[in-house]
Structures are given as C-alpha cells and as structure tokens.
C-alpha cells in the first residue's frame, strides 16, 4: 500500500503539472484568437472582401458604322460558336472525336482546344469553332446527347453587310496583339476574344466604337465560380458612327468603275465631306473574319490590280495634265503671264539641248490660257512654267493640298510628291535641272498625287480658294462622343479670285466647248454642268526610236504599259458644290476612260442632293446662264471640234 | 488461496446495472451532448442551412456513439484491463493489414471498410495503446519505472504503431500517439532527465527524419513556417483559415453568414477546418466558449480519472483525457496557424464517424473507470491477489 501511495502522490503531482501545461496551451489558443480576431480583425476583414468580390468586365457592344443617311455599313452579327466544357465531358478527346464527325476540326484547332482546356479551370468553356452555319448548329443540337460538355453559344461578331463596298474605308477588327496591350491600359483588351479595329475607320475611331466597358461585381467562391451579382455598371455601348459617305453614291461609283483598277472620290467643296471614296477592285472584309484560305490570300496579294489597296488615298499617280491647273495658277499669280498672252505651239519646244513634244503632232498654233487648258496644250505649259519657275509652281501645288498629307481620318493616306531642289538633293543627290521644270509642270517627272488630293485641289479651285480638308466622320468625335461639326471656317489659300476664274473658265471649256478634251463627256443639263480637266499620265518611257518608228496606239499596248487616265472636276458650274476625281489605272485617256465615269457620278450626286436640278430644263443654251465671266475673245476661239480625248502622253524625251 | 478464478478482497464487481447507471456522471454526458450539438449546428450551417448531408448523419453517429459509450461504461474496468493487450495486438495487426494492402495498390487508404463503418486502425490504436501502456505501468513500482530496461517494452509498444502510422503516412496520428504515450510515461513516473535525453535525441534526429519525409510532408512544414510564401498553393489552407477567422472578429458574422466558409474559400469546412467556420460565424466569443467547454470536459476527465483507486484506471483515464486534449489542441492550433496542417479533426464537432466513435468510446472508458473507481486491482494485474 505504501508503494501505491507513493505512486498516487507521483501521479497526482504529475497530473497537476500536465493539466497545468494543458491549460497554458489552451490559454495560448485564446491569445491567438484574440490576436487574429481582435487585433488583426480589420486586416483580415479587408482580405476577406477581396477574396469574395470579383470585378468582372462587361464588354460593351461595338458601335455600328453608318453612312451619312444612317444606312448601316458595319454591324454586329450573332455569331454561333460551339464550346466545350471539359468538366462536363467524360473524356475531352472522346467528345472532340465525336464532334469532329459533325463539323471538321483540324489538328491545329484541336491542339489549341486541348491546350486552352488545360490552362483554364475545368468549368471554363473553350471555343471549338466560331461562325457556325445554321446547318452546323442544327446538326450539333440534334446530337447533343452524344456530345457531353458541348454547347452552342451566341456571341457577337463584326459583319459588313455590303461585302466589298466600302471595305477599304471600314477596315476590319481583329484580336488584340501584345503590342496593343502594351500601348493601352484599357482592361477590355484583356478580355478573351475581344476584337479591336485594325484598319480603316474601325481603327481610327476604335475608342469611340469600342465604348466603355461595364463592370459587374460578383461574389465568387474559392474556385472562381460565380455565386451572385452584387453590383452592376453597364458601361457605355460603342458609338454608332456616321460617315460622310453616301452609300448609294458609293455603290453607284463602284459599279460605274466596274472591273477597272480605279479610284473615284467625291467631296463637298465647302464642308470637306467625302461622299464617295471608291477603290476597285475591292475585297470582302467578312472573309477575314471567317478566315481566309491560303489560295484566297495569295489571289488577293498577287492580283496586279491590288484589291487590298485603297487607291483613293494610297495610290500615288503622276497627275499628268490635271497638274497643269497648278502651273497655270502659279504663272498667273506670279505675274509671269496674263490670261491673254499667247504662246505659239508648233508641236514641240526646244530647251537647251532637249526637245520637248506636245501631245498633238503638228501643234496647236496660237494658244492662250483658256484654250491652253481646254486643249491641254503641252507647249503652252512648258512655256509658262519656264517663265514662272518650278519653285512657284511647287509652292502653289502645296497650297492646293498636293504633296502633303491631308490629315484624313483614315489610315494609309499617302502624301504624294511635289518635288523641289531640296527634295531632289535629298532623295536623288542631284541638283534640279532646268529641263525638269516643264516636264514636272505637266504632271510628269517626279510629281505624284493621290486621287483624294486631286479632288481636294479641284475643290479648292471651285470654292474660291479656301483650304478645305476632307473628313470621313460626319461628326467630330471627342473621346467616345460625337459632336456636330461647326460650320467650316477654312483658311484662304491666298490666290486672287480673278485668276481662279480664268483657270475655271478653262476647265469649263474642257467639258463644255467643242474641242475640249472632255467635251464628249460633258453634262448636257446646263444646271448640272461640270467643269474639269483631263489627264493621261505616262507610265512607260517613250524612247526616241519608238517615236521615230511611229507611236503605237494606247489600245495596242499591254495593259500595264498603258497610261493612267485621270479626270478632276466639279459641278454644278453655276454654284459649285461637289468636286470629283476619277483615276483609272492604265485607262489610256483621261477624257474617254475617266471623264465619263466622273460625269455619271456627278450627275447622280446632284440628282440626290441639289433640288433645283429638277426645275432646270435640260438642253438650255450653253452660254445662257454660264456663271463664268465671258471673255472678250470668247467667240473668237474656234478650236478644232474633234473630241480630244487624248491626254498628253508624249512629253519631252531627253536626248 | 490461489485459485484459478481471480478474487478481490474488496470488490464491487457485483454492482448491478442499476447501480452502475446510478454512478454514471450524467452531467458529463450532458456536457458531451452539448458540445456535439454545437457540432450539429455548425454542420447545418456548413451545408447552407441544410440538415443534409452532414448534420443528419452526424446525429445518427452521435446516437450510436452514445449507446457505445454507455455500453463501454457498463463493462467492468478489470475486463478492459484484461483485454488491453489483446486489443492492442488486434489494432496493431489491423494497422499492418492496411499498410500491406495499401502498398499492394490501394494508395494511401487508411481504413478497412466493414460496410456500415469505415474502420481506421490508427484511430483504434489511439485507445488501445493507452490501455496497453496503462496496463504495463499498472504494476510497476517507482523503482521499476526507474530502470531503463523496464522502459524498453513500452517504448516498443509505442514505436511499432507510430512507425506504421508514419508510413501511411499520417503525421497527425503519429504525433498524437507519441505525445499521448509521452504523457503516460510522464505520469507513470519516468524520470524527467530521461525526457530531456529523448527530446534532445529527437532534436538531433530531425535532419534524419527530414530525409525520410515525403515531399508533401516537407512542403507542409515549410509552408507552416512561411504560409504567405505560396498563397495559392500549399499555404492556401492556412491563409484562408486565418482570413476566415480574423474576419469573424469579436462577435462573428452571424449564424450561417460566414462568407469565407460558405463561398468555399475555406477548405474542408465540415471536417478539419470546422473550428474556423464556427469562429468566423460566432467570432472570438464563440471560439472561447467552445474552448471553455472543452476545458470543462478535460477537468471532468481529470477528476474522474484521479478518483480511481487503481493505477491502471488513473493512467488509462489520464491518457485518454490527454488524447482528447491533443485532438482539441492540435486541431485548433492548426487552423490558427500555430502548428502545421495535419489531418486531425476537431473532437465531437468535425464531420466523421470514426473520430466520433473513438472519442465516445474513450469517454465510455473514462466513465467505466469512474464507475468502477473503488475496484481494487492487484499489482500484477487482474489475475493478482492481494
């Protein structure tokens, strides 16, 4: 019993020690609870909120692109997609096998699907294919019992209902690139499948079209599954953007240009609205959305008529005789000539050791400013250019919008070239030779201009010398909102209206006097009468031997050796409103290939927008209501009445 | 005088069932029921206000467990002592069985499916090891315990199951077996300097043990030391648990309003991390009340054990109470980020049948010890005569 008492004492003492230790440990737990739940409670409360509240971005619907009358050119279309949720499949591979019996899934797509499925959590749907046809959707729906985890989803995708029409203007949308992500802090870009404008209007006004992303605060659980929505901010849908383009006119112009490799531009000479900007041939931007086969792509980029290029702003052409208007303005403004001074054209001109030819063998005889423009006499312009000097001509051309970018709200605009001494030294390392002045003065040599620039040039001639610039968006876009444009207040370019009138008189006679180079393409309705200037710019250099052997007719040359046909014009002559430029690549003659197209387009424009056309009877006497100041010798100039649709294709050849 | 049948000079073996029931500490039974009821409520909340799937099944298990507890309490403590080695050997064999079967290809399966219940030999071992050690030390004098050789058999009795459990691998159970056994060695009167030697040797063995650990066990220890290191990976459990606890504050977010647990940020909210959920919804106040109730159970356990006149009863009772304490402490310290995350449930509250059954069985033994507190057991064990 003694031993038992000993042991009893020991166990009692040690049990007390052990119990005390346990109580101390339990107190430590209470202390820890105090630390976590009282002292650090605020910190953990914040962490808890962050844990459960997840901010989700709601992509705004992209704004539509409309024409000036509200006709949609770019819309959002329902896009049927087939998705697969890997957690709902028994085996992802089996499901994909079954699905590939219904719609084709190539190896590349399949690898991508498996990769994405692995990367995301298993309840996140992965896109198998987009842009499904109705038949595909129906076939998949019918087979859903055999396709666990497969679902059809309706998303939004960009659609261009007009297909080729306006493709060059609208551009396209595409997935966000790494570079885009780095240049922008907009969280929308990080949304999977988000598309942004990559070209054309879609790119320029991307921010406005994109809108502002909404947010949805959702309570999520630990694996990211949404439990419920707490707060929602709808954001702002993208702006419906109206262009200055008139779709019907655009369509008319495109049809009129047909299969030619050509461009047509119509601008409002007062506002700068671009009513028509057509470039043919075109392409279907939807094909890019669908995905292009390599054959289709090869066709597009190897086509010599370059369907992907917007020739109206990116095509740079020697302006040919249309540039003579600038030479005339420069010579008049500098006082180098007066409108009445005559120049004798024997068919060629000698300048030092070079002989420069007029397009008309045998020459035009005695020519003044108006008849020089009317007949497009090369020798006349060689002479006045020599008198004025190239620097003045170049400076005048720049004032009319050539040689510099017009800051059009459309990417891809080229600046063209108005050469000068500095330019030539910088690019060719040569001085300016005197013999180059006359050649450039008739729009050959180094001079290059885009159809848009030439239309602007015509507009500035027609609006009395105001520096109108073109724009594509009907309204001014500030941030993501549209503000109506103020009535335009263009700066004057600083030329005398008298001189302008003389040049316009010449342009009037080009179209409306027998013998004018575009007489056959005139608008017979006096109220809609147009004035213009033809141009045919030489593509292939003509050697002396060829000239001696006798020049071939343009039509006999291979297509790509023929001259470019150009025509700039405005209408109506009585109260000019619309300027137009048509360029037909390798169209041979401005008067026959470009002018009739411009005429038809201008008739359509006036029919649509100028009401008085209906009230004015056609076939009025030509000089009846001509607004162009009559000249004293107006009647005295009888020019040969043949239609001179020939441009000026054989200017000087050097030695 | 020496007969084939054991005889006791002062025996209450003739107590009737009625007498035994009279001696049951009904306040203790009530206390256990109260804690279990807190568990039912918490499980009800964990299922977002549904009695299914957890609370209902937990109640069924509780009722079965209660019946088992009372039945165990009715069995004479001498019978438990007599069977203690046998039960220990059976548990050890079962432990070996799951180990062998596990290595054959069932993975880390730690239980034997008996159909109606999944038997975890490691859980059984928690009780049978205590009983076996209590029996071993029952007859030992203070001098006996002082002899190092005398300590070799109980050490083997401890190390064998600990080895198997570690191999499973079940760090939590190994820890509990070791600590509970250590407490019993301590209570039995093993000299303090020997503990110092063992702890010192254990410390030296840490680098060796590190070599034998599985990667996930090492990861858990590393994560325990620095949980913020890997908030979405291995540190996730601890971090989320601390966030849930801390955001509960002093008074909690309210019953069924714990955001972290209901949104599943909290892992295993119905099992190992149920304390976190409770403290998120009821705040520090709720947590302290629960710890208080556990302390009360411990006090009961001590009081009932120390009332026993037999060394076996005292040792077994205190050993079982210590096991209970270890459940409480390891689990709560784990969810508060004080010890590594090891799979130890919160006693009487976590969802799970085996732990509930083990605990109530243990309480039944303590009650049996208390009911038969005046039974005298000879020094050499049940077959002895004084």
């Amino acid at each position: 019993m003694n031993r038992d008492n000993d042991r009893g004492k020991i166990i009692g003492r040690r049990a007390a020690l052990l119990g005390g230790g346990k109580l101390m440990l339990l107190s430590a737990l209470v202390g820890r609870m105090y630390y976590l739940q009282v002292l650090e409670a605020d910190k953990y409360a914040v962490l808890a909120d962050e844990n459960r509240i997840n901010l989700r971005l709601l992509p705004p619907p992209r704004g539509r692109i409309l024409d000036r009358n509200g006709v949609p050119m770019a819309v959002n279309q329902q896009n049927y997609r087939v998705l697969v949720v890997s957690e709902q499949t028994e085996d992802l591979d089996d499901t994909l096998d079954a699905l590939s019996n219904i719609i084709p899934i190539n190896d590349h797509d399949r690898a991508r699907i498996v990769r994405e499925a692995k990367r995301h959590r298993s309840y996140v749907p992965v896109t198998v294919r987009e842009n499904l046809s109705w038949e595909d959707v129906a076939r998949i729906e019918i087979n859903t019992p055999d396709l666990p985890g497969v679902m059809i989803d309706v998303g939004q995708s960009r659609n261009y209902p007009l297909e080729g029409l306006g493709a060059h203007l609208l551009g396209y949308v595409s997935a966000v690139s790494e570079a885009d992500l780095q240049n922008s802090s907009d969280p929308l870009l990080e949304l999977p499948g988000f598309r942004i404008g990559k070209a054309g209007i879609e790119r320029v006004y991307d921010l406005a079209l994109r809108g502002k992303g909404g947010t949805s605060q959702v309570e999520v659980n630990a694996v990211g599954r949404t439990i419920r929505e707490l707060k929602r901010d709808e954001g702002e849908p993208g702006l419906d953007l109206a262009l200055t383009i008139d779709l019907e006119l655009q369509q008319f112009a495109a049809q009129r240009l047909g299969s030619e490799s050509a461009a047509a531009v119509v601008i409002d000479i007062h506002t700068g609205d671009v009513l028509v900007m057509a470039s043919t041939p075109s392409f279907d931007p939807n094909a890019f959305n669908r995905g292009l086969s390599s054959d289709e792509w090869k066709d597009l980029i190897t086509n010599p008529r370059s369907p992907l290029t917007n020739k109206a702003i990116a095509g740079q052409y020697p302006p040919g005789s249309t540039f003579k208007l600038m030479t005339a303005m420069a010579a008049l403004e500098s006082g180098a000539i007066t409108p009445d001074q005559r120049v004798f054209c024997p068919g060629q001109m000698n300048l030092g050791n070079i002989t420069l030819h007029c397009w008309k063998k045998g020459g035009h005889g005695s020519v003044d400013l108006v008849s020089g423009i009317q007949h497009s006499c090369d020798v006349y312009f060689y002479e006045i250019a020599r008198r004025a000097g190239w620097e003045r001509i170049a400076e005048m051309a720049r004032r009319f919008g050539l040689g510099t970018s017009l800051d059009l709200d459309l990417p891809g605009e080229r600046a063209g070239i108005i050469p000068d001494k500095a330019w030539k030294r910088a690019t060719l390392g040569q001085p300016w030779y005197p013999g180059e002045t006359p050649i450039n003065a008739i729009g050959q040599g180094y001079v290059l201009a885009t159809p848009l620039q030439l239309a602007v040039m015509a507009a500035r001639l027609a609006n009395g010398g105001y520096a109108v610039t073109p724009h594509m968006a009907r309204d001014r876009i500030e941030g993501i909102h549209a503000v109506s444009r103020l009535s335009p207040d263009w700066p004057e370019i600083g030329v005398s209206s008298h001189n302008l009138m003389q040049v316009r008189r010449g342009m009037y006679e080009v179209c409306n006097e027998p013998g004018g180079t575009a007489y056959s393409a005139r608008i017979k309705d006096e109220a809609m009468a147009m004035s213009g200037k033809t141009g045919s710019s030489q593509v292939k250099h003509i050697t002396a031997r060829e000239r001696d052997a006798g020049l071939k007719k343009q039509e006999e040359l291979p297509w790509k050796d023929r001259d470019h046909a150009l025509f700039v014009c405005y209408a109506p002559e009585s109260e000019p409103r619309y300027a137009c430029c048509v360029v037909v690549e390798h169209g041979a003659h401005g008067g026959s290939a470009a002018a009739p197209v411009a005429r038809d387009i201008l008739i359509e424009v006036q029919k649509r927008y100028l009401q008085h056309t209906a009230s004015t009877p056609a076939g009025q006497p030509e000089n009846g209501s001509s607004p162009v100041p009559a000249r004293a010798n107006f009647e005295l100039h009888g020019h040969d009445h043949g239609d001179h649709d020939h441009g000026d294709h054989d200017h000087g050849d050097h030695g | 005088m020496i007969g084939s049948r054991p005889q006791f000079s002062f025996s209450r073996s003739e107590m009737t069932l009625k007498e035994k029931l009279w001696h049951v500490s009904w306040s203790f039974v009530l206390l256990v029921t109260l804690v279990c009821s807190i568990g039912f409520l918490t499980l009800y909340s964990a299922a977002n206000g549904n009695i299914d799937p957890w609370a209902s099944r937990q109640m069924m298990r509780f009722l079965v467990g209660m019946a088992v507890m009372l039945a165990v309490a009715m069995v004479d403590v001498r019978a438990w002592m007599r069977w203690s080695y046998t039960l220990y050997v059976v548990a050890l064999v079962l432990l070996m069985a799951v180990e062998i079967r596990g290595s054959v290809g069932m993975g880390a399966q730690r239980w034997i499916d008996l159909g109606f219940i999944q038997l975890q030999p490691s859980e059984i071992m928690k009780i049978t090891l205590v009983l076996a050690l209590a029996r071993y030390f029952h007859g030992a004098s203070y001098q006996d315990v002082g002899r190092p050789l005398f300590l070799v058999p109980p050490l083997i009795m401890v190390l064998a199951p600990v080895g198997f459990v570690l191999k499973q691998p079940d760090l939590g159970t190994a820890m509990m077996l070791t600590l509970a056994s250590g407490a019993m060695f301590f209570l039995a009167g093993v000299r303090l300097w020997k503990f110092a030697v063992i702890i010192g040797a254990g410390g030296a063995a840490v680098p060796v043990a590190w070599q034998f650990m599985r990667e996930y066990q090492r990861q858990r220890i590393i994560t325990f030391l620095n949980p913020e290191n890997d908030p979405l990976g291995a540190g996730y459990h601890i971090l989320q648990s601390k966030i849930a606890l801390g955001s509960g504050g002093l008074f909690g977010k309210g019953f069924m309003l714990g955001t972290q647990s209901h949104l599943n940020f909290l892992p295993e909210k119905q099992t190992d991390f149920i304390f976190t959920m409770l403290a998120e919804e009821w705040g520090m106040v709720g947590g302290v009340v629960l710890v208080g109730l556990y302390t009360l159970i411990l006090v009961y356990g001590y009081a009932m054990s120390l009332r026993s006149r037999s060394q076996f009863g005292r040792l077994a009772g205190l050993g079982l109470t210590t096991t209970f304490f270890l459940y409480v402490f390891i689990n709560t310290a784990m969810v508060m980020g004080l010890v590594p995350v090891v799979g130890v449930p919160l006693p009487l509250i976590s969802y799970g049948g085996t732990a509930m059954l083990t605990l109530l069985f243990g309480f039944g033994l303590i009650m049996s010890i208390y009911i038969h507190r005046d039974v005298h057991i000879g020094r050499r064990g049940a077959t002895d005569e004084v």
Side-chain angles (χ1 to χ4, degrees):
Chain A
M1 278 324 268
N2 195 21
R3 262 197 215 110
D4 260 8
N5 284 342
D6 273 1
R7 292 195 306 185
K9 271 183 201 158
I10 289 168
I11 201 169
R13 205 163 55 227
R14 292 203 170 181
L17 269 173
L18 202 61
K22 286 173 186 170
L23 284 179
M24 270 172 60
L25 287 173
L26 290 174
S27 314
L29 292 181
V30 173
R32 177 70 171 172
M33 271 191 265
Y34 178 73
Y35 172 75
L36 289 175
Q37 298 193 280
V38 176
L39 297 182
E40 298 269 88
D42 291 346
K43 171 185 146 190
Y44 285 116
V46 171
L47 283 175
D49 261 8
E50 282 175 0
N51 236 350
R52 74 192 167 95
I53 294 169
N54 201 333
L55 208 60
R56 298 254 163 102
L57 268 176
L58 305 171
R62 193 171 176 84
R64 296 179 301 162
I65 300 176
L66 313 170
D67 90 333
R68 65 184 298 120
N69 300 312
V71 183
M73 299 176 78
V75 295
N76 299 315
Q77 204 185 36
Q78 294 196 321
N79 163 20
Y80 290 92
R81 300 181 289 189
V82 56
L83 309 171
V84 63
V85 182
S86 60
E87 81 171 0
Q88 289 169 13
T89 63
E90 278 155 30
D91 181 272
L92 183 60
D93 278 325
D94 288 350
T95 300
L96 289 178
D97 283 340
L99 191 57
S100 63
N101 291 332
I102 302 168
I103 54 164
I105 303 173
N106 62 35
D107 290 346
H108 179 76
D109 279 346
R110 197 175 175 128
R112 172 188 60 79
I113 294 159
V114 172
R115 198 171 58 236
E116 281 184 28
K118 273 192 190 137
R119 210 174 55 206
H120 294 120
R121 290 179 189 271
S122 60
Y123 59 84
V124 175
V126 172
T127 306
V128 176
R129 253 187 61 190
E130 292 192 272
N131 302 310
L132 291 175
S133 68
W134 249 118
E135 291 85 75
D136 286 339
V137 171
R139 285 219 301 274
I140 292 168
E141 291 282 7
I142 287 166
N143 287 291
T144 34
D146 304 328
L147 299 167
V150 170
M151 55 192 226
I152 300 284
D153 174 68
V154 192
Q156 299 260 298
S157 74
R158 202 62 161 167
N159 182 263
Y160 304 99
L162 309 164
E163 294 174 354
L165 198 63
H168 297 112
L169 313 179
L170 299 172
Y172 56 89
V173 292
S174 184
V176 179
S177 72
E178 277 302 313
D180 297 328
L181 272 177
Q182 277 169 12
N183 295 332
S184 167
S185 58
D186 190 344
L188 279 175
L189 299 192
E190 287 168 40
L191 285 175
F194 195 76
R195 307 262 158 132
I196 59 170
K198 290 288 179 142
I201 293 292
E202 295 272 28
R203 184 171 124 199
V204 178
Y205 294 111
D206 185 54
L207 286 182
L209 290 166
R210 192 192 294 172
K212 249 176 67 185
T215 52
S216 156
Q217 277 191 6
V218 290
E219 200 168 280
V220 296
N221 68 6
V223 287
R225 205 188 287 270
T226 305
I227 305 295
R228 74 179 79 86
E229 190 169 59
L230 298 174
K231 216 166 95 187
R232 195 182 175 90
D233 163 22
E234 287 296 343
E236 247 176 288
L239 178 75
D240 274 353
L241 184 85
L243 300 183
T244 55
I245 294 290
D246 181 307
L247 203 53
E248 279 191 34
L249 291 175
Q250 175 87 4
Q251 189 157 23
F252 178 84
Q255 273 170 5
R256 190 64 186 75
L257 291 172
S259 60
E260 296 285 359
S261 179
V265 176
V266 175
I267 65 176
D268 184 311
I269 64 168
H270 297 306
T271 63
D273 284 2
V274 179
L275 280 85
V276 172
M277 183 180 281
S279 174
T280 55
S282 186
F283 60 95
D284 183 358
N286 296 305
F288 286 85
N289 242 350
R290 270 200 309 272
L292 222 52
S293 75
S294 62
D295 278 351
E296 286 176 301
W297 175 242
K298 211 185 265 173
D299 277 357
L300 277 178
I301 56 168
T302 56
N303 189 330
R305 304 188 175 207
S306 45
L308 291 176
T309 308
N310 182 2
K311 298 184 183 81
I313 58 169
Q316 300 185 106
Y317 306 95
S321 298
T322 60
F323 191 74
K324 287 172 182 168
L325 300 170
M326 294 297 98
T327 304
M329 279 308 298
L332 287 172
E333 283 289 305
S334 67
I337 56 155
T338 63
D340 300 340
Q341 280 175 347
R342 301 191 148 269
V343 170
F344 184 77
C345 169
Q348 66 181 55
M349 176 178 162
N350 293 313
L351 195 76
N353 59 348
I354 13 176
T355 303
L356 298 165
H357 298 269
C358 185
W359 64 267
K360 188 176 183 190
K361 228 170 179 172
H364 288 95
S366 176
V367 175
D368 68 356
L369 178 83
V370 170
S371 60
I373 295 173
Q374 184 196 3
H375 298 289
S376 201
C377 172
D378 292 334
V379 169
Y380 177 80
F381 287 96
Y382 295 149
E383 175 58 25
I384 68 171
R386 192 186 60 76
R387 292 190 203 168
W390 175 252
E391 291 304 318
R392 288 204 180 106
I393 299 170
E395 195 261 340
M396 186 57 67
R398 291 196 189 101
R399 280 205 251 170
F400 276 87
L402 304 180
T404 51
S405 161
L406 292 164
D407 289 331
L408 184 72
D409 45 355
L410 197 62
E413 188 194 358
R414 305 284 294 270
I417 294 171
I418 296 299
D420 55 21
K421 285 175 186 163
W423 174 86
K424 200 181 171 199
R425 182 151 301 282
T427 47
L428 298 170
Q430 290 169 350
W432 186 266
Y433 299 115
E436 291 173 325
T437 297
I439 296 162
N440 283 283
I442 61 161
Q444 295 286 162
Y446 308 119
V447 181
L448 291 177
T450 65
L452 177 71
Q453 284 176 327
L454 294 174
V456 166
M457 176 186 82
R460 290 180 181 184
L461 284 165
N463 69 11
Y466 290 94
V468 61
T469 56
H471 55 259
M472 302 296 300
R474 194 187 62 194
D475 301 306
R476 210 152 41 87
I477 306 298
E478 282 183 358
I480 62 167
H481 299 282
V483 183
S484 292
R485 285 184 194 272
L486 305 169
S487 55
D489 182 22
W490 311 111
E492 289 189 53
I493 60 175
V495 290
S496 89
S497 58
H498 177 73
N499 288 337
L500 270 180
M501 281 306 181
Q502 295 305 318
V503 171
R504 281 174 52 189
R505 178 84 224 165
M507 292 172 77
Y508 176 80
E509 296 205 352
V510 166
C511 297
N512 299 295
E513 280 298 313
T517 51
Y519 180 69
S520 67
R522 69 191 177 279
I523 296 177
K524 286 169 182 145
D525 180 346
E526 180 65 26
M528 292 201 273
M530 80 176 173
S531 302
K533 179 72 194 82
T534 55
S536 307
S537 63
Q538 189 179 310
V539 173
K540 196 167 183 283
H541 187 72
I542 298 168
T543 63
R545 185 181 299 165
E546 281 172 330
R547 190 180 301 281
D548 293 343
L551 288 169
K552 280 183 178 171
K553 276 200 179 301
Q554 281 283 317
E555 287 72 14
E556 294 164 7
L557 293 169
W559 178 74
K560 68 179 179 49
D561 289 345
R562 291 180 207 160
D563 294 349
H564 293 320
L566 298 92
F567 191 65
V568 297
C569 54
Y570 58 86
E573 176 57 50
S574 52
E575 196 184 333
R577 183 69 198 272
Y578 300 104
C580 175
C581 171
V582 172
V583 175
V584 179
E585 284 185 3
H586 311 294
H589 305 296
S592 60
V597 178
R599 173 197 62 201
D600 293 348
I601 292 173
L602 278 182
I603 289 172
E604 279 304 306
V605 174
Q606 294 182 78
K607 271 188 191 163
R608 269 177 79 74
Y609 287 102
L610 299 178
Q611 291 196 325
H612 66 262
T613 51
S615 61
T616 311
Q620 241 182 305
E622 284 190 0
N623 55 353
S625 62
S626 170
V628 178
R631 242 177 10 167
N633 56 353
F634 187 67
E635 257 76 46
L636 298 177
H637 284 266
H639 303 288
D640 76 2
H641 284 217
D643 278 347
H644 287 275
D645 293 339
H646 306 281
D648 342 73
H649 45 79
D650 50 343
H651 59 81
D653 48 326
H654 303 258
Chain B
M1 185 172 155
I2 298 171
S4 59
R5 292 177 62 90
Q7 289 193 348
F8 300 95
S9 57
F10 183 83
S11 174
R12 293 184 65 168
S13 64
E14 287 78 27
M15 278 168 85
T16 61
L17 189 65
K18 201 177 164 189
E19 279 177 308
K20 287 183 182 183
L21 282 173
W22 179 251
H23 283 282
V24 167
S25 169
W26 290 108
S27 57
F28 179 71
V29 173
L30 198 69
L31 183 59
V32 170
T33 309
L34 179 63
V35 173
C36 286
S37 304
I38 292 174
F40 305 150
L41 271 180
T42 314
L43 287 174
Y44 176 77
S45 170
N48 295 316
N50 285 309
I51 196 156
D52 289 315
W54 298 315
S56 56
R57 292 168 70 180
Q58 189 76 348
M59 285 182 203
M60 288 305 298
R61 286 163 181 169
F62 169 74
L63 290 177
V64 172
M66 267 297 169
V68 169
M69 180 174 89
L70 289 173
V72 168
M74 294 302 112
V75 176
D76 195 305
V77 73
R78 284 166 296 186
W80 288 119
M81 180 163 163
R82 210 180 304 138
W83 297 336
S84 52
Y85 285 153
T86 317
L87 289 173
Y88 170 81
V89 170
V90 168
L92 196 62
V93 167
L94 287 175
L95 207 53
M96 285 162 66
V98 285
E99 177 54 40
I100 288 161
R101 208 176 51 160
S103 65
V104 164
M106 301 290 281
Q109 188 174 312
R110 297 169 185 176
W111 61 82
I112 293 165
D113 204 338
L114 295 182
F116 64 97
I117 192 169
Q118 286 167 344
L119 204 62
Q120 276 191 43
S122 60
E123 285 290 321
I124 302 169
M125 188 50 87
K126 283 174 188 165
I127 286 174
T128 56
L129 180 60
V130 169
L131 288 178
L133 287 175
R135 174 164 182 182
Y136 185 81
F137 286 115
H138 166 73
S141 66
Y142 185 65
Q143 286 72 22
D144 289 337
V145 178
R147 282 188 287 124
L149 271 182
F150 183 78
L151 297 179
V152 172
L155 269 178
I156 292 170
M157 280 158 66
V158 175
L159 292 178
V162 167
F164 281 120
V165 169
L166 265 183
K167 224 171 161 256
Q168 272 186 355
D170 183 349
L171 212 59
T173 304
M175 215 154 106
M176 283 183 66
L177 289 175
T178 313
L179 290 174
S181 307
M184 292 191 69
F185 277 65
F186 177 73
L187 290 166
V190 173
R191 308 298 187 272
L192 289 176
W193 65 266
K194 288 191 176 110
F195 286 97
V197 169
I198 295 288
I199 290 167
V206 164
V208 182
W210 187 258
Q211 296 297 317
F212 284 97
M213 277 188 194
R214 299 268 173 106
E215 185 52 41
Y216 88 95
Q217 292 171 321
R218 290 182 196 174
Q219 201 54 51
R220 278 185 178 179
I221 291 170
I222 291 169
T223 303
F224 162 69
L225 295 174
N226 187 11
E228 277 82 6
N229 209 14
D230 183 12
L232 281 180
Y236 184 79
H237 285 35
I238 297 175
L239 203 65
Q240 292 299 335
S241 179
K242 279 161 79 176
I243 289 172
L245 264 173
S247 63
L250 189 57
F251 297 106
K253 296 174 185 168
F255 183 56
M256 305 225 294
L257 295 173
T259 51
Q260 303 305 290
S261 25
H262 286 290
L263 298 176
N264 282 334
F265 284 103
L266 189 64
E268 320 219 8
K269 58 171 185 272
Q270 80 281 14
T271 56
D272 287 2
F273 283 85
I274 198 166
F275 182 83
T276 307
M277 179 174 174
L278 186 136
E280 188 195 7
E281 297 194 344
W282 299 102
M284 184 184 167
V285 172
V288 169
V289 165
L290 184 65
V291 171
L293 290 174
Y294 280 138
T295 311
L296 212 53
I297 291 179
L298 285 178
V299 170
Y300 263 92
Y302 267 72
M304 290 196 281
S305 308
L306 289 173
R307 287 286 299 277
S308 171
R309 290 187 54 192
S310 65
Q311 181 76 346
F312 171 79
R314 289 186 296 232
L315 276 176
L318 290 175
L320 291 166
T321 309
T322 301
T323 300
F324 173 74
F325 164 81
L326 288 171
Y327 268 113
V328 174
F329 181 78
I330 293 176
N331 178 271
T332 41
M334 168 181 95
V335 301
M336 293 178 200
L338 288 174
V339 301
V341 175
V342 288
V344 173
L346 186 67
L348 306 179
I349 292 189
S350 282
Y351 177 77
T354 326
M356 172 77 93
L357 215 58
T358 309
L359 282 157
L360 291 179
F361 197 101
F363 288 149
L365 284 170
I366 293 174
M367 285 163 71
S368 166
I369 288 161
Y370 177 65
I371 291 164
H372 306 95
R373 57 188 177 271
D374 292 330
V375 171
H376 183 85
I377 308 172
R379 195 190 152 209
R380 289 271 172 75
T383 53
D384 245 23
E385 237 183 294
V386 178

